[in-house]
Amino acid sequence: MSDEDLLTAADGSLSNQGDTPLFVLRVTQGAGAGQSLLLDWAKQSSFLLGQSTLCDLRLADRRVSRRHASVTAHAGLLRLTDLESTNGTRVAGLRVERALLGGGEVIELGDTQVRVARAPTNVVVPPSSRRGLGRLVGASYEMQRLYDRIEGLAGSPLHVVIEGETGAGKDLVAETLHDLGPHASGPLVFFDCAGAAREGELALAGAVERAKGGTLVLSELADLDPALQAALLAKIDRGPRVLSTTRRDVDREVQDGRLREDLAFRLAGARVEVPPLRRRHGDLPILAAHFWSASGGVGELPRAFAIKLVRGAWPGNVRELEAAVARAVALGVDDADGVAPALRAPTAPSAAPAAREDVVTRALEAGLPLPASRAMVVEELERRFVERALAAHGGNVTRAAAASGLTRRYFHILMNSVRAPKIGGS
């Protein structure tokens, strides 16, 4: 594939998602015989089958796993994926990990049989000109469905579990749900579940109290210390709306005994899945250009650099891409493809070049290997960036984070990592 073809494919469009066959799943045998589920791709891009309250088709079958299987649309067919279930998923008597179905098949899950029916019509998913929602950026089919899901849940009082890989944008989804909801003027409080064991129950109680009248975001719910899970359970009914983010399978955490089932049940009023970058076809160039501009890159995103980005795997998802673009702006794009080094646009022309030179000079004179020298420069850039952002917004972290294109939680993490003084605000 040529570079031109590569970028064209990356730019993508929603046209190939326009007419997608409608499927209906109907339980024909088992405890839930008679219930059915319409797979409406205009509302969401994947559906879960299993015992969990988070599943779209709930099956009251003890031999069915909490999160047993998923179904998605694929090239006019239905893609069935077994989610490492205990008793397996079968089609036509054969145990499958993944299968493409066209309609008429029977899926066996435990003692339950589900017939796949293809509707006589297609669902039309019209192209959308939306390239973002709130601070979320992207125009892909996957993101359009995510925007619809967020808009549908924003005004709801339901607690929501936000699932997705590391770096996919779960915190931004939580912010957007809050900002579009009825309590947008209230506080948005992030509570780091991974660090909660050190802070104890008092910190949890404080976070719940600060979030009253607004939204409490439990970052990485599955990491919450078991001793604090009971304390949280006792506060849910009297507290604010709770949005929980997790990179892990909540149902697997419950199944393995690391997360209380009653807590998961109370927090899982609805589920939002944040797609990984590899599934967001066409979004990478849009995101890269956005991060280039937000980081102060001069002019448009260099074409050769964009091609390199499109070729990347990005296991760290959007967060990794953002970091790569920010480093390129700070340190200069690799000139191997004939692209002149692009520097950060100076906000104070008389001082910025010298400021950049001193840290680069120190890094060079230290005689460190390239990775260590690069880290030294980036750390200094981040320290100065945080200090300047806070100073520009009167020490208000919320406004500084928004102006920096960062989530409030990540801005706090950045502040702590560079030991920048917190002047005030939240």
Side-chain angles (χ1 to χ4, degrees), residues 186-274:
L188 174 62
V189 177
F190 283 86
F191 183 76
D192 181 10
C193 293
R198 297 189 302 272
E199 300 174 358
E201 185 175 343
L202 189 61
L204 176 60
V208 173
E209 183 64 29
R210 291 196 308 275
K212 281 188 175 179
T215 305
L216 174 65
V217 181
L218 300 174
S219 297
E220 297 301 340
L221 171 66
D223 292 335
L224 186 62
D225 185 86
L228 295 181
Q229 293 181 22
L232 176 61
L233 186 63
K235 300 177 186 301
I236 290 176
D237 289 339
R238 301 187 302 275
R241 186 187 190 187
V242 180
L243 307 177
S244 307
T245 71
T246 178
R247 67 188 184 281
R248 299 179 182 172
D249 182 335
V250 169
D251 296 308
R252 179 58 56 88
E253 297 298 302
V254 170
Q255 185 174 307
D256 293 344
R258 289 185 290 270
L259 184 65
R260 291 178 60 125
E261 183 172 16
D262 49 359
L263 178 62
F265 178 82
R266 300 281 282 282
L267 293 177
R271 179 182 72 97
V272 172
E273 180 186 0
V274 185

Side-chain angles (χ1 to χ4, degrees), residues 110 128 144 166 219 423:
S128 173
Q144 301 298 338
T166 298
S219 297
I423 302 173

Side-chain angles (χ1 to χ4, degrees), residues 280-296:
R280 296 174 53 176
H281 305 299
D283 277 351
L284 197 146
I286 297 173
L287 286 163
H290 170 77
F291 294 143
W292 178 265
S293 177
S295 299

Side-chain angles (χ1 to χ4, degrees), residues 327 331 359-381:
R327 288 192 186 96
L331 305 177
V359 66
V360 172
T361 300
R362 291 201 308 271
L364 292 173
E365 291 178 347
L368 300 171
L370 178 60
S373 298
R374 180 186 294 116
M376 182 176 175
V377 174
V378 171
E379 181 178 357
E380 179 67 10
L381 169 71

